[in-house]
Amino acid sequence: GHPLGFTAVLEADERAEMFADGESALDAYGLNAEFVPVAHGGRLTRVDHLVEIMRTVYRRDPCLGLGYGFSSFI
């Protein structure tokens, strides 16, 4: 019943939809700031730290990691 649990991720996948609750959680966290260097107002200080954060996102939902996370980086 957890809104960000694996069941919710799989249900969104079965509907061929982006995981909206996951996107909302990443918005609330401010994930986009992880891609922006501190000198420009973001939180990026070390690429290995960014990799750790994105690994966590990809582990939960690869589609969310690619669609929300990595596309922001590009």
Side-chain angles (χ1 to χ4, degrees):
H2 190 285
L4 301 175
F6 289 113
T7 300
V9 172
L10 291 174
E11 288 172 351
D13 187 61
E14 288 294 321
R15 293 189 307 269
E17 297 175 357
M18 193 68 150
F19 183 40
D21 287 340
E23 284 186 312
S24 295
L26 295 177
D27 282 340
Y29 171 71
L31 181 68
N32 289 334
E34 298 294 339
F35 300 105
V36 179
V38 171
H40 297 287
R43 293 192 299 250
L44 179 63
T45 56
R46 297 175 24 193
V47 173
D48 62 321
H49 181 69
L50 174 61
V51 169
E52 290 173 10
I53 291 169
M54 291 310 299
R55 183 186 306 165
T56 303
V57 174
Y58 274 93
R59 189 171 43 233
R60 177 64 56 174
D61 182 5
C63 182
L64 192 59
L66 182 61
Y68 185 99
F70 193 70
S71 64
S72 297
F73 186 67
I74 292 174

